[in-house]
């Protein structure tokens, strides 16, 4: 072999050896890095008693209930929400999220395509089959199951802890408790109004005494005339007329087909013999009352204001100085004597549909819609 060939051979051999030696540590480091970034799981018990393993941290969330979507937003975690259902419409930004179908029949394929770390479900709306399908794909799910307003507060805090934002959960819970305490103090001296909460009008379906809606009524200074163990009992119009509620309560929802207007109720057999109908004692509040989420407190206050307006009337001493001066000036000049405020338009009640599809089974759906929980 010539000297030139030997020199070339040595150079190539040295380069090859250097390359191999240089890549060996890199490969080892890569293997070590891969091992160190394996998912870390935290085992918790959800609100239905299931033991579930949840990867930490949770960066990608899919919500299968409007109430859970609202809670995620209330905790300031909307950037982690990668998908929700067609019924998740609040806040408005939630409508921009990728939709995975309905709460009862979501697309498992679409959920899987979003690669969620965690899917949030609620026992009161989602089906056990959905949870099993997610389990089979190795996708973690966590279920909530609140039955009272206090349960909603506690559930929000648990979710915050689970998602790594305990301070946000504590803040949300504290604000809900503050508002409820203020309402309780304001309503303390006023007897509760007897109400019929209309979940569905034909047939008439109301709420049982163990539901979070019945509990919300109590916080609003009301009590349901329906004393049923069943969560969503069907009530005869004859029985409702016999019990004679002080008010009928409806939850408004822009997303549902409108049942007959309030004025039309007085023309329907059975309804017109109720004093609340003949005297037009109706309360129409936000559909937030249908959702076990932090926003339910606003619906409770709405109802309290309609049932007990005298307790929320602005007192003269609370008027600011400008308001008093303006009133006095109008009285002097005569302005405003002929000014009349037009009456508010009669709102059409949008009855919330019956809750269906629980983790234990399904119920028939009046009107074919799921209550937006």
């Amino acid at each position: 072999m010539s000297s030139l060939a030997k020199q070339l051979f040595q150079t190539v051999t040295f380069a090859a050896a250097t390359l191999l030696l240089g890549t060996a540590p890199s490969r080892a480091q890569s293997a070590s890095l891969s091992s160190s970034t394996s998912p870390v799981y935290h085992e918790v018990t959800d609100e239905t008693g299931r033991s579930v393993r949840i990867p930490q941290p949770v960066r990608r969330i899919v919500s299968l209930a409007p109430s859970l979507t609202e809670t995620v937003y209330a905790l300031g975690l909307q950037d982690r929400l990668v998908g929700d259902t067609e019924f998740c419409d609040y806040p408005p930004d939630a409508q921009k999220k990728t939709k995975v179908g309905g709460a009862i029949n979501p697309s498992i394929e679409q959920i899987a395509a979003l690669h969620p770390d965690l899917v949030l479900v609620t026992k009161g709306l989602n089906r056990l089959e959905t949870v099993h399908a997610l389990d089979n794909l190795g996708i973690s799910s966590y279920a909530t199951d609140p039955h009272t307003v206090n349960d909603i507060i506690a559930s929000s805090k648990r979710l915050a802890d689970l998602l790594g934002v305990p301070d946000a959960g504590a803040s949300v819970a504290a604000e809900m408790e503050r508002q409820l305490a203020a309402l309780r103090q304001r309503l303390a001296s006023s007897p509760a109004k007897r109400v019929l909460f209309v979940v569905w009008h034909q047939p008439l379906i109301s709420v049982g005494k163990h539901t979070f809606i019945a509990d919300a009524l109590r916080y609003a200074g009301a009590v349901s005339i329906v004393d049923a163990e069943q969560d969503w009992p069907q009530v005869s119009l004859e029985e409702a007329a016999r019990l004679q509620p002080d008010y009928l309560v409806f939850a408004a929802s822009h997303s549902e087909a409108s049942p007959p207007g309030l004025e039309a109720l007085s023309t329907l057999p059975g309804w017109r013999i109720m004093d609340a109908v003949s005297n037009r004692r109706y309360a129409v509040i936000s559909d937030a009352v249908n959702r076990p989420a932090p926003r339910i407190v606003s619906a409770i206050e709405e109802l309290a204001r309609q049932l007990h307006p005298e307790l929320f009337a602005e007192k003269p001493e609370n008027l600011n100085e400008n308001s008093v001066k303006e009133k006095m000036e109008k009285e002097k000049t005569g302005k405003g004597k002929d000014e009349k405020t037009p009456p508010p338009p009669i709102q059409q009640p949008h009855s919330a549909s019956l809750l269906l599809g629980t983790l234990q089974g399904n119920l028939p759906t009046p009107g074919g819609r799921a209550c937006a929980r």
Side-chain angles (χ1 to χ4, degrees):
M1 182 181 294
S2 67
S3 59
L4 179 60
K6 286 182 180 180
Q7 184 178 356
L8 180 61
F9 177 80
Q10 290 172 353
T11 300
V12 172
T13 303
F14 177 80
T18 302
L19 180 63
L20 288 172
L21 290 172
T23 57
S26 177
R27 289 175 180 171
Q29 183 178 5
S30 176
S32 174
L33 182 62
S34 175
S35 175
S36 66
T37 56
S38 297
V40 176
Y41 286 88
H42 180 44
E43 189 160 334
V44 300
T45 301
D46 71 10
E47 294 176 25
T48 67
R50 291 187 311 135
S51 180
V52 294
R53 295 173 70 243
I54 299 174
Q56 297 295 313
V58 177
R59 295 190 178 93
R60 298 177 64 82
I61 303 168
V62 169
S63 165
L64 295 187
S67 60
L68 294 169
T69 294
E70 290 195 20
T71 303
V72 169
Y73 271 86
L75 296 174
L77 299 177
Q78 56 270 20
D79 289 344
R80 300 191 200 176
L81 187 67
V82 296
D84 60 18
T85 76
E86 296 166 356
F87 300 106
C88 296
D89 57 2
Y90 189 91
D93 185 69
Q95 300 176 42
K96 302 175 186 176
K97 299 294 183 179
T98 300
K99 302 303 175 183
V100 297
I104 307 303
N105 57 344
S107 168
I108 302 301
E109 292 78 10
Q110 285 183 303
I111 295 174
L114 292 172
H115 304 290
D117 297 313
L118 181 64
V119 176
L120 298 177
V121 299
T122 182
K123 182 178 179 181
L125 182 59
N126 304 115
R127 296 186 305 157
L128 185 59
E129 290 85 349
T130 298
V131 173
H132 285 164
L134 294 171
D135 286 343
N136 291 336
L137 292 175
I139 300 175
S140 300
S141 63
Y142 179 92
T144 62
D145 186 30
H147 291 268
T148 66
V149 174
N150 279 334
D151 284 350
I152 296 171
I153 296 173
S155 183
S156 298
K157 290 179 69 174
R158 277 193 290 269
L159 272 179
D161 292 344
L162 183 71
L163 300 174
V165 287
D167 290 346
S171 177
V172 167
E175 178 59 20
M176 292 176 71
E177 290 167 346
R178 184 195 67 76
Q179 293 179 40
L180 291 171
L183 270 178
R184 189 182 303 114
Q185 183 177 3
R186 188 183 287 265
L187 298 170
S189 61
S190 183
K193 303 291 185 181
R194 299 172 63 256
V195 304
L196 172 63
F197 187 94
V198 181
V199 173
W200 195 257
H201 73 290
Q202 202 172 14
L204 174 57
I205 294 174
S206 189
V207 295
K209 61 184 178 181
H210 298 306
T211 60
F212 68 86
I213 295 179
D215 193 44
L217 296 178
R218 290 187 280 269
Y219 276 93
V223 61
S224 173
I225 62 169
V226 179
D227 186 32
E229 295 290 335
Q230 184 183 353
D231 283 352
W232 317 108
Q234 183 172 329
V235 183
S236 70
L237 284 170
E238 292 77 13
E239 178 66 4
R242 185 186 70 80
L243 294 171
Q244 288 296 348
D246 298 323
Y247 281 84
L248 300 186
V249 181
F250 298 86
S253 173
H254 64 271
S255 62
E256 296 173 0
S258 174
L262 293 178
E263 293 300 322
L265 287 180
S266 61
T267 67
L268 298 178
W271 290 88
R272 57 189 171 213
I273 61 177
M274 278 189 260
D275 290 342
V277 173
S278 58
N279 294 317
R280 293 184 50 178
R281 292 197 297 267
Y282 306 131
V284 183
I285 60 174
S286 163
D287 69 343
V289 74
N290 290 329
R291 301 180 177 186
R295 193 168 60 107
I296 195 172
V297 175
S298 66
I300 291 172
E301 182 170 344
E302 275 186 76
L303 181 57
R305 286 178 177 276
Q306 293 186 52
L307 298 182
H308 304 275
E310 71 285 356
L311 299 180
F312 294 87
E314 190 175 26
K315 297 180 181 179
E317 58 268 26
N318 291 335
L319 293 173
N320 61 47
E321 187 177 350
N322 290 335
S323 297
V324 174
K325 287 181 179 179
E326 183 180 348
K327 183 179 179 181
M328 292 175 66
E329 186 65 28
K330 281 188 177 182
E331 289 176 353
K332 287 181 182 178
T333 61
K335 289 181 180 180
K337 287 184 179 179
D338 298 325
E339 296 174 4
K340 293 183 179 180
T341 304
I346 297 174
Q347 293 177 275
Q348 302 296 314
H350 295 265
S351 299
S353 305
L354 177 65
L355 301 180
L356 73 159
T358 68
L359 289 178
Q360 295 177 330
N362 293 327
L363 296 172
T365 314
R369 289 296 304 276
C371 181
R373 295 185 66 189

